[in-house]
Amino acid sequence: MTARKPGLPGGVERSASGTTDVVLREGGGSWLTVPRSLGRALLTAVVSGLLGLFLTVPVAVVVLLSGAGWATVWVVAFWMVSVLAAAGFTGVLAAACLRVHRIRFSAAGDPPMVRLVRGVRTGRWRLSEAPNRLRLEQEIEEPYPGDPLPGTTVLTLRLIRDDSDVCRAVLPPDTDARQLIAALEQALGSAVLIELHVRRTTRPGPPKRSRGGYSVIGIGGAGGYSCGGGGPPLPPGRTHR
């Protein structure tokens, strides 16, 4: 697999000052993230507003059945649509601006430090007594025999300090884990501990269907079913009373 282009998630970049960036998401560290995220936030607001309008229908029925007029219905609809649209817009924009886009490590020869580059700001350098750890967790789910669907791979990168997560991100599925580790080892050297944990599982197949059937106890008469009982056999020409 060829090296990833600069700026794409799952890549490693080195700046002129010698710092190394592990790219988790495109962009970051600039207010330019805001206009790029406005379109997605506006679309989410529209979808959330339509959801609020849909939820207004049963509420409107209850309000009308209770004796209130259409004026109350319009007030309820306005507030439900407005609240959901505002929540969707704010949530998406805040997530785009505050989530971690890059992990930046100090240049070789400097004290080993790390900082997080978020959507609109870059955090301060952090120096820890214990070395930082980059842990790649690769979960591979292989298809069962005869499965028409292909296997899946989920690659998660975690930055660990003092046995707790500083941040984590799911990298694109086409990221080559071993190639990423080789690039990190070349750029960071021994300043950062790099781990790879691979977990392989097989996708469970569909449950086997047991073969069932009907058990006929007895058949008598013109196509009728006899389900047990009935008494002793009778002489010809006699019937039960």
Side-chain angles (χ1 to χ4, degrees), residues 10-168:
V12 178
E13 294 182 358
R14 301 192 69 174
S15 66
S17 60
T19 60
T20 301
D21 284 7
V22 182
V23 183
L24 307 180
R25 299 175 179 89
E26 293 185 65
S30 170
W31 283 100
L32 295 176
T33 304
V34 177
R36 283 199 300 261
S37 304
L38 278 176
R40 186 176 301 173
L42 288 172
L43 179 61
T44 305
V46 172
V47 174
S48 301
L50 292 176
L51 177 62
L53 192 61
F54 176 77
L55 295 177
T56 303
V57 175
V59 177
V61 173
V62 174
V63 171
L64 292 176
L65 292 177
S66 65
W70 280 100
T72 306
V73 173
W74 290 119
V75 171
V76 172
F78 171 79
W79 281 108
M80 288 187 68
V81 172
S82 300
V83 169
L84 286 179
F89 179 84
T90 305
V92 171
L93 191 59
C97 295
L98 300 180
R99 67 164 55 107
V100 178
H101 287 245
R102 293 165 178 255
I103 304 174
R104 180 166 296 164
F105 295 93
S106 58
D110 294 343
M113 295 184 292
V114 65
R115 69 198 307 181
L116 302 180
V117 181
R118 301 184 185 274
V120 294
R121 64 183 179 86
T122 302
R124 62 185 180 87
W125 288 107
R126 293 288 303 270
L127 176 64
S128 58
E129 296 180 359
N132 294 289
R133 286 189 293 157
L134 277 177
R135 176 169 174 168
L136 283 169
E137 298 177 348
Q138 189 175 37
E139 298 183 8
I140 303 173
E141 185 181 62
E142 299 176 343
Y144 60 86
D147 190 356
L149 299 177
T152 59
T153 301
V154 178
L155 184 62
T156 305
L157 187 144
R158 297 169 54 194
L159 175 62
I160 303 174
R161 181 190 299 129
D162 300 329
D163 294 328
S164 61
D165 282 0
V166 177
C167 70
R168 66 168 59 199

Side-chain angles (χ1 to χ4, degrees), residues 139-237:
E139 298 183 8
I140 303 173
E141 185 181 62
E142 299 176 343
Y144 60 86
D147 190 356
L149 299 177
T152 59
T153 301
V154 178
L155 184 62
T156 305
L157 187 144
R158 297 169 54 194
L159 175 62
I160 303 174
R161 181 190 299 129
D162 300 329
D163 294 328
S164 61
D165 282 0
V166 177
C167 70
R168 66 168 59 199
V170 177
L171 300 179
D174 62 339
T175 303
D176 190 322
R178 299 192 181 277
Q179 186 183 54
L180 177 57
I181 287 180
L184 289 171
E185 290 176 343
Q186 181 181 3
L188 301 175
S190 59
V192 178
L193 299 179
I194 303 172
E195 305 172 355
L196 174 62
H197 294 256
V198 180
R199 179 172 176 264
R200 292 181 179 270
T201 58
T202 301
R203 184 181 302 134
K208 295 183 179 180
R209 300 177 60 183
S210 60
R211 296 183 178 180
Y214 295 97
S215 176
V216 179
I217 299 178
I219 302 178
Y225 289 87
S226 173
C227 299
L234 296 176

